[in-house]
Amino acid sequence: MNRVRDQVKWRGWDEDGIWWGWEWEGNPFFAGEVEPCINGQVAASGAYFGQNVQRIVDRLLNEQLSDGGWNCEAHNGSPRSSFNTTICALEALLEYELAFGSRAEVTESRLRGQEYLLDRRLFKRMSTGEVIERDRKGGTVWTRFSFPTWWHYDVLRGLDYLRKAGATPDERVTEAIEWVESKRNSEGRWLLEYQHPGMMPVELNEGEGRASRWITLRALRVLNWYLAGSP
């Protein structure tokens, strides 16, 4: 991880999001770039391995929208948050707190973002209460579980964040939990339902429609969290 810190750069971009061309060395990797979904993933992994991700965390705090979440399209004028971007930011703030201890402003920001998900029952529209069937950019169905998730949101990822954050489950997660329970097969496992494009450093040999060790582990953890914490 230190080699990543010392040698990997965001070539061409400066810290203000200005493009200087491929010949410009760019920011150190753990200084981040400009999109909160990418910065969230960088900060989460960096904090986990004890790297200095303070600049990214401070940037995320300043980019939180009024509804409590985050959106990579905010710089284009979008006033509404995105589930995809919000989960990346939340995981980053949580990993930062777990690695370096709580800061009041970080905890307050994270809990506001957490409420953004909970108020929407993790997969519903705030305005109408109807299920959001797929990401508005197309393709991803939030009730289909994937691994790795990369920057994509799904219901299991949202629940797994809440579990790791030590949130107390309430009625707002009940329907999402029922979705998880409904997907357990006769052997007590969960399937990989969708595989996002991306290069894995290690091949898991778990194609779509096959039992997934990682999804099964996450589902069991989520169900145990719910059973232990629900009234």
Side-chain angles (χ1 to χ4, degrees):
M1 190 57 66
N2 288 344
R3 292 177 66 186
V4 174
R5 179 196 64 204
D6 297 336
Q7 299 180 27
V8 178
K9 308 288 185 181
W10 295 101
R11 296 197 67 86
W13 297 98
D14 72 8
E15 62 184 19
D16 296 317
I18 299 174
W19 174 254
W20 291 97
W22 287 114
E23 69 281 0
W24 194 73
E25 188 176 65
N27 288 340
F29 185 72
F30 291 116
E33 50 115 89
V34 296
E35 294 192 7
C37 59
I38 295 175
N39 278 341
Q41 294 171 87
V42 172
S45 59
Y48 181 85
F49 287 104
Q51 299 298 316
N52 180 2
V53 293
Q54 187 65 57
R55 179 181 178 276
I56 297 179
V57 168
D58 290 341
R59 183 172 186 127
L60 290 174
L61 297 183
N62 290 328
E63 292 174 334
Q64 191 168 21
L65 298 175
S66 60
D67 61 9
W70 288 262
N71 192 339
C72 287
E73 296 298 322
H75 69 283
N76 290 326
S78 177
R80 294 183 296 174
S81 295
S82 155
F83 278 70
N84 290 329
T85 307
T86 297
I87 194 63
C88 293
L90 285 175
E91 289 172 349
L93 298 182
L94 178 60
E95 288 295 348
Y96 176 85
E97 290 187 279
L98 292 174
F100 303 111
S102 297
R103 282 171 44 198
E105 62 270 32
V106 175
T107 302
E108 189 274 336
S109 176
R110 183 175 60 78
L111 293 179
R112 281 182 59 214
Q114 186 171 299
E115 287 298 304
Y116 171 87
L117 296 182
L118 286 168
D119 286 344
R120 290 156 179 79
R121 272 52 178 176
L122 280 78
F123 65 122
K124 293 190 172 185
R125 299 188 188 282
M126 187 75 165
S127 56
T128 65
E130 63 183 336
V131 172
I132 304 173
E133 293 186 351
R134 61 181 65 236
D135 180 86
R136 64 176 176 268
K137 291 188 176 180
T140 305
V141 178
W142 291 348
T143 54
R144 289 194 297 178
F145 301 156
S146 62
F147 189 87
T149 53
W150 306 113
W151 54 270
H152 303 278
Y153 178 84
D154 65 41
V155 170
L156 183 58
R157 185 176 180 181
L159 287 168
D160 200 33
Y161 157 78
L162 292 172
R163 173 200 66 81
K164 191 170 184 178
T168 300
D170 59 33
E171 54 86 21
R172 293 176 292 178
V173 305
T174 301
E175 194 170 351
I177 288 290
E178 290 171 353
W179 267 107
V180 175
E181 290 180 319
S182 72
K183 291 175 180 288
R184 192 198 311 242
N185 68 15
S186 59
E187 297 177 332
R189 301 174 182 174
W190 280 259
L191 306 182
L192 176 66
E193 297 180 289
Y194 187 76
Q195 192 161 22
H196 298 289
M199 183 179 296
M200 285 288 289
V202 177
E203 179 55 56
L204 300 179
N205 295 315
E206 295 180 350
E208 289 183 15
R210 298 174 62 182
S212 168
R213 289 163 289 182
W214 279 104
I215 293 175
T216 297
L217 174 63
R218 297 174 81 186
L220 289 173
R221 283 174 170 173
V222 161
L223 293 180
N224 288 338
W225 161 78
Y226 180 74
L227 291 173
S230 58

